[in-house]
Amino acid sequence: MTMRIDLHTHSVVSDGTDTPTRLVLKAMEVGLDVIALTDHDTFDGIPEAIEAGKRIGVKVMCGIEMSTQLDGHSVHLLGYGCDPFHRPLVQELAKIRVARTGRLKAFAERMTELDMPLGVDDIIAAAGASPSIGRPHVADALVAKGYVEHRDEAFDKWLREDRPGYVPRYACELSAAIDLIHEAKGIAILAHPWGRGNESVLTAEVIERLTTEKGLDGIEVNHPDHDERARELLFALGGRLGLIRTGSSDYHGLGKRNNPLGGENTRDTAYREMLRRIRLRGGIV
Ligand code: AMP
Ligand code: MN
Ligand code: MN
Ligand code: MN
C-alpha cells in the first residue's frame, strides 16, 4: 500500500482558510495518510493539528514555511521536524512576524492613496486570530470593502511585487534560515523554487551551492506553480545533487483555488528519506 502524502499546507494560523482541525479532517476525507502543516513563520497551529491527527487518523508532521530572502528576492523555505521551541529559531520567527504586523500601516496608507480607503483595523479583522499577517489578509480586507472580487484579483491588480500596492518587509537571509532549521534539528527544503519567476534567483548553480555549502536537504519539485518543464528539470537536478524531491499542494483552503488538498503528492521513498534525515538530526518525527 502506497501512502498518500502532502507536505505543504496552510491553516488560518497563517493565510489558509481552514482551522488546523478542519484541515486534518479534509485530509482524511481526500484520502491522505500524511500531511505537514507548514504555516508561514509560525508553529502556533501545530499542537491542534497533531491532536486532531491522532483523533482522526492522519499523521501530521511538524512543519513551517519561513520567509527568507536571497539578494533581495523573496524565497520560501520549508522546515520539517524542527523543535518548535528552539530559541534562536523562535526568536527569528518572532522578528519576521513583528515585521509583518509593522507594515500594516503602510499597506493601509497605500491603499487609501490608491482611492481605496482602508484602516489597519480592517486588515486585522480580515486576519482573524492569525499571528502571521500577510498580503492575503490585505487582499481579504480589500474584498470585504468591495474593492476587488477575490484574492487573486487583489494580487494581480495591487499586491504583487510589481504592483502599486506592494509594501516590502524584512525576511531572514536564506543561508541563515537553513542554519536555523538545522540547529533546531530539522531539515530544510526549498518551497516552489521555480514558481513565480524565481527561476532566475534560485538557478541550478545557486541550488547546487546551497546543497554543497549549506547542506540544503531538498527541493519541492511537484507544485502547482511549476510547469511540466520545471518539474522535469528540477527532478533531474535534485537527483544529480542527492536532494530529497517532494511534491505538495501548498493548500490554502479557499485562499488559492488552484491548490486542492492532496492535488500533489510526495513519494513514499522521499518521505522515508526525510524521516531518516530528521532522526539523524534528532528532530521530531
Ligand atoms: P506575504 O508573506 O505577506 O508577502 O504574502 C505572501 C503570500 O501571498 C504567499 O504565501 C501566497 O499565499 C500569497 N501570494 C503571493 N503572491 C501571490 C499571487 N501572485 N497571487 C495570489 N497569491 C499570492
Ligand atoms: Mn501563503
Ligand atoms: Mn510559498
Ligand atoms: Mn505555502
Side-chain angles (χ1 to χ4, degrees):
M1 258 289 279
T2 58
M3 290 194 292
R4 284 200 60 211
I5 304 163
D6 184 350
L7 298 178
H8 183 166
T9 70
H10 296 271
S11 76
V12 288
V13 173
S14 64
D15 55 7
T17 59
D18 290 327
T19 64
T21 299
R22 191 79 193 95
L23 168 70
V24 175
L25 268 169
K26 285 188 177 168
M28 186 266 286
E29 284 165 11
V30 301
L32 285 164
D33 300 290
V34 185
I35 65 163
L37 176 61
T38 53
D39 273 317
H40 297 284
D41 306 311
T42 176
F43 290 113
D44 283 10
I46 296 294
E48 181 185 325
I50 288 178
E51 276 310 306
K54 284 179 183 159
R55 283 199 310 278
I56 294 161
V58 174
K59 164 82 183 161
V60 176
M61 271 188 107
C62 176
I64 191 140
E65 184 172 18
M66 272 185 88
S67 301
T68 83
Q69 57 131 344
L70 180 62
D71 303 330
H73 298 279
S74 166
V75 170
H76 287 179
L77 183 68
L78 295 159
Y80 294 103
C82 295
D83 169 6
F85 299 105
H86 180 76
R87 267 280 173 132
L89 178 57
V90 164
Q91 282 168 351
E92 180 61 29
L93 295 175
K95 183 172 170 184
I96 300 169
R97 292 194 308 266
V98 166
R100 285 178 166 285
T101 310
R103 74 174 166 167
L104 297 185
K105 188 158 175 281
F107 270 126
E109 285 169 1
R110 185 73 62 82
M111 295 306 161
T112 303
E113 280 163 25
L114 292 165
D115 283 331
M116 295 176 286
L118 194 72
V120 171
D121 48 341
D122 296 316
I123 305 171
I124 289 174
S130 171
S132 184
I133 303 180
R135 281 180 284 162
H137 301 118
V138 179
D140 291 346
L142 297 178
V143 174
K145 287 274 185 190
Y147 301 142
V148 292
E149 290 286 331
H150 41 67
R151 276 189 186 180
D152 282 341
E153 188 186 346
F155 271 90
D156 288 343
K157 281 191 176 152
W158 309 112
L159 296 172
R160 269 168 33 186
E161 291 185 28
D162 57 349
R163 292 292 182 260
Y166 177 69
V167 177
R169 60 159 162 73
Y170 166 80
C172 180
E173 278 294 330
L174 175 59
S175 60
I178 294 174
D179 288 345
L180 280 170
I181 286 169
H182 284 154
E183 285 164 25
K185 307 186 179 94
I187 61 170
I189 295 189
L190 281 176
H192 44 72
W194 288 358
R196 296 213 173 102
N198 256 8
E199 204 168 329
S200 55
V201 180
L202 294 167
T203 60
E205 291 70 34
V206 169
I207 292 174
E208 176 159 9
R209 190 161 45 74
L210 291 168
T211 307
T212 56
E213 293 176 13
K214 302 303 298 180
L216 177 72
D217 295 283
I219 51 176
E220 222 169 41
V221 169
N222 290 339
H223 182 281
D225 290 353
H226 289 163
D227 59 21
E228 273 312 313
R229 191 189 130 271
R231 293 171 193 232
E232 279 169 26
L233 291 174
L234 285 168
F235 189 83
L237 175 68
R240 180 165 71 76
L241 296 176
L243 288 165
I244 298 169
R245 294 164 292 184
T246 63
S248 311
S249 67
D250 203 357
Y251 176 73
H252 280 66
L254 300 174
K256 280 191 183 173
R257 287 161 197 283
N258 296 328
N259 302 36
L261 186 60
E264 310 271 359
N265 295 110
T266 293
R267 291 160 298 126
D268 278 34
T269 47
Y271 174 60
R272 277 199 291 273
E273 174 64 8
M274 289 173 69
L275 296 182
R276 192 187 70 81
R277 290 201 196 189
I278 293 168
R279 282 199 191 92
L280 272 177
R281 291 200 175 266
I284 298 170
V285 298

